[in-house]
C-alpha cells in the first residue's frame, strides 16, 4: 500500500495493490505502517461506519467545526464521485475543492483531515462508503454547505436523484464562511 498527497494540504490518497485471480481479489484496505508513515495514528480511529446510496444520490457537503474529526473513507461496493472542500480558514487552499473517483476496482482510500467538507454521489446502482473516524460525533459542531452551491461549482457527474432534507436546507458557502472563520482557530491545521 502506498500514499500520495493531493492538491489540498493534508488530504491523502492511499492506493493498495489488489491481488486478482479467478476467484476474485484480495486487497489490504488499511495498513498501520503506511498510516504511521503518512503521519496518521492508526489507533486513533474510534468509529467505523458504512452507508449505502442509490445511483444519483448526493450526500454532503458535511464537516465539523470545534475539534472536528478526521476520516479515512473508501468505497467498498460500486463507485462514488467523492468531493473534498478545504474549509480551514488559515489554509492556503481555503475554499478550493478536490474530487476523486472511489470504487471497488481500485480500492483507494482517502484521508480527510479535520477542517474539510466532504460529500459524494453514487455513480452505480448502489454504492457503499466506509468511514473510519477519529472522534465521536458531536452534532453541535456540524456544518453543512449546499451541494449545488454556485461558489463551489461542484461538477456532479449525474443528475441528482435524491438528497436529504438536511442537505436541501444547507447554507451557502458564502453564508458558511463567516461561521468557519469564527471557529477557525479551533480547527486543526493541515499537516
Amino acid at each position: 500500500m502506498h500514499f500520495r498527497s493531493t492538491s489540498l494540504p493534508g488530504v491523502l490518497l492511499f492506493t493498495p495493490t489488489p491481488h486478482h485471480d479467478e476467484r476474485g481479489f484480495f486487497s489490504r484496505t488499511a495498513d498501520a505502517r503506511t498510516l504511521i508513515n503518512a503521519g496518521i495514528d492508526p489507533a486513533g480511529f474510534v468509529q467505523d461506519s458504512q452507508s449505502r446510496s442509490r445511483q444519483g444520490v448526493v450526500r454532503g457537503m458535511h464537516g465539523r467545526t470545534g475539534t472536528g474529526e478526521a476520516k479515512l473513507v473508501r468505497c467498498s461496493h460500486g463507485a462514488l464521485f467523492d468531493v473534498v472542500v478545504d474549509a480551514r480558514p488559515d489554509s492556503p487552499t481555503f475554499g478550493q475543492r478536490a474530487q476523486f473517483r472511489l470504487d471497488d476496482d481500485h480500492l483507494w482510500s482517502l484521508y480527510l483531515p479535520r477542517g474539510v467538507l466532504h460529500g459524494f454521489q453514487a455513480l452505480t446502482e448502489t454504492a457503499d462508503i466506509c468511514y473510519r473516524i477519529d472522534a465521536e460525533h458531536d452534532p453541535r459542531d456540524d456544518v453543512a454547505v449546499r451541494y449545488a452551491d454556485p461558489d463551489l461549482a461542484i461538477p456532479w457527474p449525474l443528475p441528482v436523484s435524491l438528497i436529504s432534507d438536511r442537505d436541501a436546507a444547507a447554507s451557502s458557502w458564502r453564508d458558511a464562511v463567516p461561521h468557519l472563520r469564527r471557529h477557525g482557530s479551533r480547527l486543526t491545521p493541515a499537516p
Side-chain angles (χ1 to χ4, degrees):
M1 179 171 276
H2 303 282
F3 71 93
R4 67 175 174 85
S5 297
T6 67
S7 62
L8 300 180
V11 176
L12 304 173
L13 187 65
F14 290 84
T15 56
T17 306
H19 302 281
H20 295 271
D21 64 22
E22 62 279 353
R23 299 170 295 170
F25 73 88
F26 170 84
S27 183
R28 185 173 297 156
T29 60
D31 181 87
R33 184 177 318 253
T34 304
L35 290 171
I36 290 167
N37 290 339
I40 300 166
D41 176 9
F45 293 107
V46 299
Q47 179 182 327
D48 285 13
S49 300
Q50 178 174 341
S51 74
R52 174 167 291 162
S53 299
R54 294 186 176 114
Q55 188 172 40
V57 166
V58 169
R59 295 182 189 248
M61 301 296 297
H62 304 149
R64 309 273 184 270
T65 59
T67 57
E69 65 186 16
K71 300 177 187 177
L72 187 63
V73 300
R74 67 182 177 86
C75 180
S76 62
H77 173 76
L80 301 167
F81 177 76
D82 199 275
V83 182
V84 182
V85 174
D86 192 338
R88 300 166 291 191
D90 296 333
S91 172
T93 56
F94 179 68
Q96 294 179 27
R97 68 172 153 68
Q99 54 211 39
F100 308 88
R101 179 186 168 97
L102 301 180
D103 58 43
D104 59 9
D105 287 328
H106 294 97
L107 304 170
W108 296 345
S109 293
L110 193 59
Y111 177 76
L112 309 174
R114 295 167 186 246
V116 300
L117 299 176
H118 177 244
F120 60 87
Q121 183 176 46
L123 300 177
T124 51
E125 186 176 337
T126 59
D128 291 0
I129 189 168
C130 296
Y131 297 82
R132 301 197 79 202
I133 301 171
D134 75 346
E136 291 188 26
H137 177 241
D138 185 345
R140 294 173 299 178
D141 291 335
D142 284 354
V143 175
V145 173
R146 194 171 304 121
Y147 74 98
D149 185 89
D151 290 327
L152 296 181
I154 298 169
W156 301 106
L158 299 176
V160 176
S161 63
L162 188 63
I163 59 169
S164 70
D165 291 342
R166 172 189 175 209
D167 291 345
S171 69
S172 69
W173 173 253
R174 196 165 293 182
D175 289 343
V177 166
H179 178 73
L180 294 168
R181 290 196 193 282
R182 271 194 311 277
H183 298 284
S185 63
R186 296 179 3 183
L187 293 174
T188 303

